[in-house]
Amino acid sequence: MGVSAADAVIPACAAVGIAFALWQWFLVFRVKVSAYASVAPRAGINGGGGGRPVFRPESEIDDDEDVAIGGYGEDEEGEGDGAAAVARCAEIQSAISVGANSFLFTQYKYLAAFTAVFAVVIFLFLGSVHRFSTDSQPCQYTKGKTCKPALANAVFSTIAFLLGAVTSVVSGFLGMRIATAANARTTLEARRGIGAAFATAFRSGAVIGFLLASLGLLVLYIAIKVFGVYYGDDWEGLYESITGYGLGGSSMALFGRVGGGIYTKAADVGADLVGKVIADNVGDNVGDIAGMGSDLFGSYAESTCAALFIASISSFGAEHNFAAVSYPLLISSAGLIVCLVTTLFGTTFYKVKTVHGVAPALKLQLVISTVLMTVGILVVTFLALPSKFTMFDFGEVKQVKNWHLFFCVTIGLWAGLAIGFTTEYFTSNAYSPVREVADSCRTGAATNVIFGLALGYKSVIVPVFAIAVSIYVSFTLASIYGIAVAALGMLSTVATGLAIDAYGPISDNAGGIAEMAGMSHRIRSAALVSLALFGAFVSRSGMAVINVVSPKVFVGLVVGAMLPYWFSAMTMRSVGSAALRMVEEVRRQFATIPGLMEGRAEPDYASCVRISTDASLREMMPPGALVLLAPLVAGTFFGVQTLAGLLAGALVSGVQAGASDHAKKLGPKGSDAHKAAVIGDTIGDPLKDTSGPSLNILIKLMAVESLVFAPFFAAHGGLIFK
């Protein structure tokens, strides 16, 4: 594949992805929420007056309680005369949208200040490597050639950081806007049947997935081309500065995940304890959608930037073979086309007709995308890469063949599928592990929590082995570049993965809207990315060997292994304190607002939203500071050896860390078994939705930050140990 072909394929695939996202959004937007609201009278809902919902604790809602819409039962379809409840959907959607917008815009003010300050830090640290000299410097990897001055790398790394930050924020914001517009539409479509509701929710998730993947690819490609105008044939400097793009994306993802996670779990815990609140639905969008979108964008940006940097110091990088160096971008481009075809299987060729058909339909998406992507990887590998080439191997040179990289990417892809199926086995009520946890509720909350923790610890065994096999095979075949592209293999079908991920919160939100409106009741890659970034950091900092028995390295290992625990403690405490204020506020409203319990008065949703917003924004700062300052302090004062130990310790430590018929047999809502389950769920929520997802970003962000600042640490780091 020539340069012109690569230059045509990459932006074309990104454009196709964006166009497909817009088409899916057009199909979703044909469901008109305002049309339902315009014909609905302001009547009582669930016996309430003035069009207001009944606002009751969850324990008071009977398991068999059902409000038929237009005379239809729970499993029937139709659009009868329940116009008041339908109109209420539009009102609730508006309240959710306003709350989510308010939180994100407030959060973005904090992030804007952080981004400006950290951009200055990047420029000052990297510019000082050669005392802000404008003279060209000898290239580190291509002997006998000169590269652009360090000051230029400082400027372009800062610009790349800002680009990554803006793209991450835009990805999260677009995801939130799409989700808040889709939730009520999914609720309304559910009146026509599960098939219509599934198609609406999944198409909405596809819009988010394709926009994020296409936007990330397109912005990164444009940045490479624009930066290349200045750098010319200095590809070392070009792709080193591009790593700032991953740092910007991951930095925003950290605050989005932590802040959004604290918000959503504070509201969720409050809802579990005292009843459904608007803030709970708002939290689904700012945490599970906006935070998740930024997180996945950060993973994509980091893994791609790591692979591009390592490729730039290979033999085809020295030969300026753009198609070969752009192999990571071409893999992502092929992934967009594969995900497009896969999405059509889920919404057009294969129709979901029953609730029991939802899970098989989602699993089919994973299988189809994985099989088709294997073929796509094969085609891209043999078209873009030369048959033989050499890769940097920690001071040595490793001979690699193109089919080696095919196996590296493919093993990452299939390991991702294995991890996905394992996760489903340990979290689905269709299998024995979750049923055992449900059975433990018979003897109270304590045994439920014990069984839940044991299940969580056990669930990491297969994923860790899958990651370990991927690392060993990839490193054996192509050194650290093999690991980098294996991580890309896991992320190559990110559009489909994000569509499935977003389907959950959108459907959950739709169910919450239905409940509040009085309608019937219905229905991971961080380790490989971090290791690839770690390898790139080791390469850039000039280390050939890392001796774990060296005191400098071992100190870093011990402290690095401790950081995920410190970080988790901070985020768990933040959720607890924010949830406490939420519970107190909702109880105050029950006690002081006449008629609220009976549904004759409107709850003060704004106060609940404000509590979660204030708490999450205040509490996200200390964990964020811990992650960002740890590499800077370690590298500056203790040197690159200690920093390498810190990253390795954090990586190893951080990686470890609906109602079914079976559950209904244990007892109805309000029973002792149900109360025990609610307690276990309340304890587990912050672990799985705040601390857990944020740990992924911790190990990736520390690694990419170390890579960006590697020139400074190599030149001036280790003040204390020196």
Side-chain angles (χ1 to χ4, degrees):
M1 181 182 291
V3 175
S4 58
D7 281 332
V9 168
I10 296 171
C13 289
V16 168
I18 293 173
F20 183 73
L22 295 177
W23 170 245
Q24 294 297 300
W25 181 239
F26 169 76
L27 295 177
V28 172
F29 217 73
R30 288 193 301 181
V31 181
K32 299 295 184 183
V33 177
S34 57
Y36 285 100
S38 63
V39 299
R42 294 289 297 177
I45 301 172
N46 260 10
R52 292 176 171 82
V54 173
F55 191 67
R56 292 172 291 168
E58 184 181 343
S59 59
E60 294 186 10
I61 302 175
D62 295 333
D63 219 23
D64 57 354
E65 181 179 328
D66 185 35
V67 181
I69 300 299
Y72 288 84
E74 180 174 340
D75 295 318
E76 296 176 286
E77 300 179 3
E79 297 184 14
D81 56 1
V86 177
R88 186 60 179 160
C89 287
E91 297 180 19
I92 296 171
Q93 182 205 32
S94 177
I96 293 171
S97 181
V98 169
N101 279 329
S102 174
F103 170 80
L104 287 183
F105 280 121
T106 305
Q107 184 186 54
Y108 292 158
K109 292 178 183 177
Y110 286 85
L111 294 184
F114 159 78
T115 302
V117 171
F118 205 69
V120 173
V121 171
I122 293 173
F123 174 76
L124 293 178
F125 271 58
L126 297 185
S128 65
V129 171
H130 293 291
R131 294 178 172 81
F132 300 95
S133 171
T134 57
D135 297 333
S136 298
Q137 302 292 329
C139 295
Q140 181 173 350
Y141 300 100
T142 308
K143 304 303 180 184
K145 293 188 62 177
T146 58
C147 291
K148 299 295 183 181
L151 184 61
N153 286 357
V155 171
F156 283 99
S157 294
T158 304
I159 295 173
F161 167 77
L162 295 174
L163 275 175
V166 171
T167 308
S168 179
V169 166
V170 170
S171 298
F173 181 75
L174 289 177
M176 184 277 297
R177 293 289 294 175
I178 293 163
T180 53
N183 48 28
R185 288 173 168 83
T186 302
T187 305
L188 297 174
E189 285 293 273
R191 301 167 69 235
R192 297 175 49 219
I194 186 64
F198 173 84
T200 300
F202 190 77
R203 282 183 175 132
S204 302
V207 176
I208 299 171
F210 277 91
L211 277 181
L212 182 148
S214 302
L215 190 63
L217 175 64
L218 186 61
V219 173
L220 183 55
Y221 171 78
I222 293 174
I224 291 172
K225 285 300 180 180
V226 172
F227 286 15
V229 173
Y230 169 79
Y231 278 100
D233 61 355
D234 178 13
W235 283 21
E236 284 186 26
L238 168 61
Y239 289 102
E240 182 179 312
S241 64
I242 284 293
T243 57
Y245 184 75
L247 177 59
S250 194
S251 298
M252 298 302 102
L254 173 68
F255 290 109
R257 263 299 193 189
V258 174
I262 293 171
Y263 185 110
T264 186
K265 288 303 106 182
D268 196 12
V269 170
D272 285 342
L273 297 179
V274 296
K276 181 64 69 176
V277 292
I278 282 286
D280 184 19
N281 291 306
V282 173
D284 287 340
N285 292 284
V286 301
D288 294 339
I289 296 292
M292 176 183 63
S294 294
D295 185 4
L296 285 178
F297 168 77
S299 295
Y300 165 79
E302 290 162 332
S303 60
T304 306
C305 290
L308 287 171
F309 172 75
I310 299 170
S312 71
I313 58 177
S314 66
S315 61
F316 52 73
E319 296 166 0
H320 297 91
N321 184 339
F322 181 74
V325 172
S326 298
Y327 179 67
L329 301 179
L330 291 168
I331 290 292
S332 299
S333 301
L336 284 171
I337 305 303
V338 165
C339 291
L340 187 154
V341 175
T342 304
T343 302
L344 293 177
F345 272 99
T347 58
T348 304
F349 306 139
Y350 179 87
K351 299 288 187 181
V352 173
K353 298 179 180 179
T354 65
V355 173
H356 298 293
V358 171
L362 295 177
K363 284 196 286 188
L364 186 63
Q365 289 282 300
L366 292 176
V367 174
I368 292 174
S369 63
T370 301
V371 172
L372 293 180
M373 192 61 209
T374 303
V375 178
I377 294 167
L378 181 67
V379 173
V380 170
T381 300
F382 284 95
L383 286 180
L385 295 175
S387 58
K388 295 180 181 179
F389 47 90
T390 59
M391 301 299 305
F392 180 84
D393 186 21
F394 297 102
E396 304 295 331
V397 174
K398 185 177 182 65
Q399 296 288 335
V400 180
K401 297 180 180 180
N402 53 10
W403 61 266
H404 290 169
L405 288 187
F406 165 73
F407 280 109
C408 291
V409 182
T410 303
I411 196 171
L413 174 68
W414 284 89
L417 181 67
I419 292 171
F421 278 7
T422 302
T423 302
E424 189 215 8
Y425 174 75
F426 280 102
T427 58
S428 171
N429 56 32
Y431 302 105
S432 59
V434 172
R435 294 187 176 188
E436 290 175 0
V437 176
D439 289 336
S440 70
C441 295
R442 291 192 177 110
T443 52
T447 51
N448 174 241
V449 171
I450 293 170
F451 268 77
L453 286 173
L455 177 63
Y457 294 146
K458 186 179 179 181
S459 68
V460 305
I461 297 174
V462 173
V464 167
F465 275 112
I467 292 171
V469 171
S470 299
I471 291 172
Y472 179 80
V473 173
S474 300
F475 188 85
T476 301
L477 291 176
S479 189
I480 201 67
Y481 187 63
I483 296 175
V485 295
L488 272 175
M490 281 191 180
L491 293 166
S492 60
T493 55
V494 66
T496 294
L498 187 52
I500 295 172
D501 285 345
Y503 167 83
I506 290 172
S507 300
D508 186 36
N509 236 207
I513 290 174
E515 179 182 323
M516 298 178 71
M519 298 172 69
S520 59
H521 299 286
R522 303 179 183 243
I523 263 220
R524 256 120 79 149
S525 64
L528 292 182
V529 174
S530 181
L531 188 55
L533 291 166
F534 176 75
F537 160 73
V538 171
S539 301
R540 184 60 188 84
S541 58
M543 289 185 288
V545 177
I546 300 175
N547 185 2
V548 294
V549 299
S550 166
K552 293 181 181 180
V553 176
F554 195 78
V555 166
L557 278 171
V558 173
V559 175
M562 174 271 299
L563 286 179
Y565 294 94
W566 189 1
F567 181 86
S568 297
M570 296 170 77
T571 53
M572 289 287 290
R573 184 184 181 282
S574 298
V575 171
S577 61
L580 177 63
R581 288 192 286 272
M582 177 68 71
V583 172
E584 291 173 343
E585 170 61 21
V586 176
R587 285 176 174 170
R588 182 194 67 79
Q589 292 189 31
F590 277 128
T592 59
I593 301 179
L596 180 59
M597 187 73 75
E598 296 78 16
R600 297 192 303 270
E602 186 79 18
D604 183 6
Y605 295 129
S607 295
C608 296
V609 171
R610 185 171 60 252
I611 286 172
S612 275
T613 299
D614 293 343
S616 60
L617 294 177
R618 182 175 58 254
E619 300 285 354
M620 74 179 183
M621 294 303 176
L626 173 67
V627 176
L628 289 167
L629 291 178
L632 290 177
V633 171
T636 302
F637 293 100
F638 300 99
V640 292
Q641 293 280 346
T642 302
L643 179 54
L646 184 85
L647 297 177
L651 168 61
V652 174
S653 178
V655 167
Q656 309 294 341
S660 64
D661 293 334
H662 181 80
K664 290 177 181 178
K665 295 177 183 177
L666 300 176
K669 290 185 177 180
S671 65
D672 289 339
H674 174 254
K675 292 176 182 177
V678 170
I679 293 172
D681 179 54
T682 304
I683 294 172
D685 265 348
L687 287 167
K688 76 178 180 64
D689 287 332
T690 303
S691 299
S694 299
L695 285 178
N696 288 337
I697 305 175
L698 177 145
I699 60 178
K700 294 180 299 182
L701 178 55
M702 290 174 59
V704 73
E705 182 183 7
S706 301
L707 173 59
V708 171
F709 286 94
F712 174 82
F713 296 148
H716 305 299
L719 297 179
I720 291 180
F721 281 170
K722 282 182 179 178

